[in-house]
Amino acid sequence: MRHSSCMALRRTPESESTGRNAPSVEAAFQAAPEELVAEILEGELHLSPRPARPYANVYYNLAGLLSGPFKFGKDGPGGWVLLAEPELHLGPRPDKVVPDLAGWRRERLPRAVGGADAPAHYELAPDWACEILSPGTRRVDQGPKMRIYAREGVCHLWHVDPLTRTIELFRLDEGQWRRGECFTGGDSVRAEPFEAVELDLALVWSE
């Protein structure tokens, strides 16, 4: 697989706040109901419901299609750690971000599970993040989460819309998101950074 020249290295702009999250926000994060996804983004608490059926279906399909060739090396190159809804603590606040899917090149995260004393969260920014867009999360996914991922040097970002059956690719270029290809319909495509294997879009949207 051709490795991108983009490296997941953190970029620290001069304008970035080094303040910590307010204690009340941290307390509300810890007290969030388990049936909601809790995140702290740019100092604000965001609570999102678990995905409805169309979004949960695409989420599961996409994870399964990528895991075989890229996590396990079955009919593909392997070399990736792929996780569903990992809790990421990024930056000095920290921002507490939960992407729908995230991936690290295995050389950057060789011990993804860790020992018995390993924390539940990860502090290393992934190489790839994926958000399944829904009416309840679209504003956050396309706003603060994109800014945080760019700041932390996440090289690749996918926005997947189950209703329009569209996958929109973004690539980080000098700290800014550059819109790449946009795939729709049921064709087989090669989508960066997983272009080593064709992705059958018909299977992504299948029920």
Side-chain angles (χ1 to χ4, degrees):
M1 178 179 181
R2 178 177 60 85
H3 280 205
S4 165
S5 61
C6 177
M7 299 295 292
L9 300 177
R10 188 170 186 280
R11 182 177 65 91
T12 307
E14 294 180 1
S15 60
E16 181 184 324
S17 171
T18 58
R20 303 287 291 182
N21 295 319
S24 59
V25 173
E26 288 284 359
F29 175 85
Q30 296 298 331
E34 292 186 2
E35 64 269 20
L36 298 177
V37 177
E39 300 176 289
I40 301 177
L41 308 174
E42 299 177 338
E44 295 185 4
L45 178 68
H46 295 264
L47 300 176
S48 304
R50 293 294 173 180
R53 291 183 183 185
Y55 311 97
N57 179 65
V58 166
Y59 168 99
Y60 182 83
N61 290 348
L62 185 57
L65 291 170
L66 293 177
S67 292
F70 293 101
K71 181 172 184 176
F72 301 117
K74 182 177 180 180
D75 299 323
W80 283 82
V81 173
L82 298 173
L83 297 175
E85 293 190 331
E87 183 179 314
L88 310 178
H89 289 194
L90 304 176
R93 284 185 182 273
D95 291 294
K96 298 184 177 181
V97 190
V98 182
D100 290 316
L101 296 168
W104 293 257
R105 297 190 189 277
R106 190 167 291 277
E107 61 264 27
R108 295 186 60 240
L109 192 65
R111 298 190 68 220
V113 176
D117 58 346
H121 64 271
Y122 294 82
E123 296 181 354
L124 180 67
D127 295 282
W128 167 79
C130 176
E131 301 291 354
I132 312 297
L133 303 181
S134 71
T137 65
R138 183 181 297 272
R139 182 185 65 82
V140 170
D141 291 338
Q142 295 179 332
K145 292 181 85 168
M146 285 191 80
R147 292 193 293 270
I148 292 166
Y149 292 146
R151 185 196 72 204
E152 296 298 319
V154 177
C155 294
H156 302 278
L157 175 64
W158 290 10
H159 280 170
V160 181
D161 190 329
L163 298 186
T164 61
R165 297 191 169 189
T166 298
I167 300 179
E168 188 173 15
L169 275 56
F170 299 89
R171 191 178 189 278
L172 198 64
D173 181 13
E174 296 184 351
Q176 302 294 323
W177 289 117
R178 305 299 180 193
R179 188 175 183 272
E181 294 180 276
C182 185
F183 301 115
T184 190
D187 294 337
S188 292
V189 302
R190 293 184 182 269
E192 192 180 24
F194 303 113
E195 67 270 33
V197 174
E198 285 192 338
L199 178 65
D200 187 343
L201 293 184
L203 295 178
V204 174
W205 319 125
S206 65
E207 298 183 4

